[in-house]
């Protein structure tokens, strides 16, 4: 797999997703069959390979594409249209799935966790840690206009149409499948510039619920100190061309590449006379050990 492009309309009221995923692949030899992982909770409607519709089956969380004629070795683009109600996380982040929550004002607050289950819980993929998309991923996520979508990498574009907003996120880095996800909420974004140990400037951001935005500067102060400590021991932050960010979530946390999930509710403690947040420091450390250097490496 070289690249994923995930295009979804998310309906928090119905707790559904609907759209398609395009998967750019390279095959090493000709084949009559392609296999992709996707939970059977979601219904696959159509499949195309290089813009030609193909027959398929979807059983035991596996999409089997039987090609009309052999696919030659080389690059191919597979498009899979699907939708439905994804599984609900029973104990996030340890038991993954979607979390459909609300903030204190009743606004939808949505998170995805799938470190154990894999990204197949919400998009078709080759769900194995040995095959991360070398050319990164794109997410085009549409939500009710009042909500904000936070995603990996850089925000390329936001568009509004018919009462809905579409957020186009893109990362050009190789990324593990369980980090290819998004969070939705009534977010505000706090940004400052972080100067890395090698002198590079990187956006440092906090995506916080509007009701908690008064905590943004304190959280970014802690984030900046944690980044300095981690760079001292492990080297420069790995994703300098994109961002380092923390996003408030209804679950405790997870090391999602360039968008660490944070749910410690600003329970800071003192360390060396300054505020410290163990959860933020723990998850951010995984940017080096877990995202840059994985279990497969």
């Amino acid at each position: 797999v070289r690249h994923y492009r995930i295009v979804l309309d998310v309906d928090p009221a119905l707790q559904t997703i609907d759209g398609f995923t395009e998967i750019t692949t390279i095959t090493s030899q000709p084949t009559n069959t392609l296999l992709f992982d996707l939970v059977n909770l979601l219904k696959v409607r159509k499949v195309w390979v290089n813009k030609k519709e193909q027959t398929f089956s979807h059983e035991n969380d596996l999409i089997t594409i039987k090609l009309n004629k052999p696919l030659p070795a080389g690059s191919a683009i597979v498009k899979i249209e699907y939708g439905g109600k994804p599984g609900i996380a029973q104990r996030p982040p340890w038991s993954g799935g979607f979390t459909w929550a609300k903030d204190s004002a009743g606004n939808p607050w949505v998170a995805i966790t799938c470190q154990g289950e894999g990204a197949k819980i919400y998009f078709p993929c080759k769900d194995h840690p040995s095959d991360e998309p070398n050319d990164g991923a794109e997410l085009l996520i549409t939500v009710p206009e009042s909500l904000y979508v936070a995603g990996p990498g850089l925000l390329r574009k936001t568009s509004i149409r018919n009462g809905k907003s579409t957020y186009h996120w893109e990362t050009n880095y190789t990324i593990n499948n369980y980090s290819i996800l998004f969070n939705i909420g009534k977010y505000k974004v706090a940004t400052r510039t972080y100067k890395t140990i090698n002198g590079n400037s990187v956006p440092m951001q906090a995506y916080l619920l509007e009701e908690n935005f008064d905590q943004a500067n304190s959280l970014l102060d802690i984030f900046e100190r944690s980044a300095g400590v981690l760079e001292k021991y492990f080297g420069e932050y790995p994703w300098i061309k994109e961002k380092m960010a923390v996003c408030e979530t209804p679950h405790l946390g997870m090391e999602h590449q360039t968008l660490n999930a944070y749910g410690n509710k600003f329970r800071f403690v003192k360390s060396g006379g300054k505020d410290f947040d163990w959860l933020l420091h723990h998850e951010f450390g995984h940017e080096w050990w877990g995202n840059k250097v994985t279990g497969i490496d």
Side-chain angles (χ1 to χ4, degrees), residues 234-268:
F234 305 140
E236 188 177 39
Y237 175 68
W239 325 113
I240 58 170
K241 295 179 181 179
E242 295 182 351
K243 69 177 186 299
M244 55 175 70
V246 59
C247 182
E248 189 177 2
T249 55
H251 61 84
L252 184 58
M254 183 59 68
E255 67 273 11
H256 300 140
Q257 187 169 310
T258 73
L259 189 75
N260 282 229
Y262 173 82
N264 201 34
K265 300 180 180 179
F266 315 100
R267 292 178 289 212
F268 308 147

Side-chain angles (χ1 to χ4, degrees), residues 1 25-31 34 71-76 126:
V1 172
T25 68
I26 295 177
T27 52
S28 60
Q29 60 188 43
T31 183
L34 293 171
L71 182 70
S75 180
K126 182 180 176 186

Side-chain angles (χ1 to χ4, degrees), residues 201-218:
S201 296
V202 182
M204 174 178 277
Q205 298 179 328
Y207 296 77
L208 303 182
L209 295 178
E210 285 187 350
E211 62 195 61
N212 295 324
F213 195 70
D214 60 342
Q215 298 281 358
N217 284 330
S218 296

Side-chain angles (χ1 to χ4, degrees), residues 100-176:
W100 304 95
K102 292 184 182 295
D103 64 19
S104 65
N107 300 299
W109 190 16
V110 184
I112 306 170
T113 46
C114 58
Q115 185 185 45
E117 295 77 8
K120 64 179 179 292
I121 68 163
Y122 96 96
F123 74 90
C125 54
K126 182 180 176 186
D127 209 0
H128 193 280
S130 69
D131 196 1
E132 298 176 353
N134 303 76
D135 299 328
E138 289 178 87
L139 293 90
L140 288 87
I141 308 301
T142 300
V143 295
E145 184 178 343
S146 62
L147 300 176
Y148 189 102
V149 180
L154 297 174
L155 182 60
R156 296 301 188 190
K157 184 179 180 181
T158 304
S159 57
I160 299 174
R161 184 179 179 185
N162 297 329
K164 292 185 176 183
S165 297
T166 299
Y167 291 80
H168 181 183
W169 288 93
E170 181 178 19
T171 177
N172 289 308
Y173 286 109
T174 301
I175 183 170
N176 58 60

Side-chain angles (χ1 to χ4, degrees), residues 4 6 119 122-123 133 137 139 152 175-182:
Y4 291 106
I6 302 160
Y122 96 96
F123 74 90
L139 293 90
I175 183 170
N176 58 60
N177 280 6
Y178 73 84
S179 289
I180 305 174
L181 48 72
F182 53 87

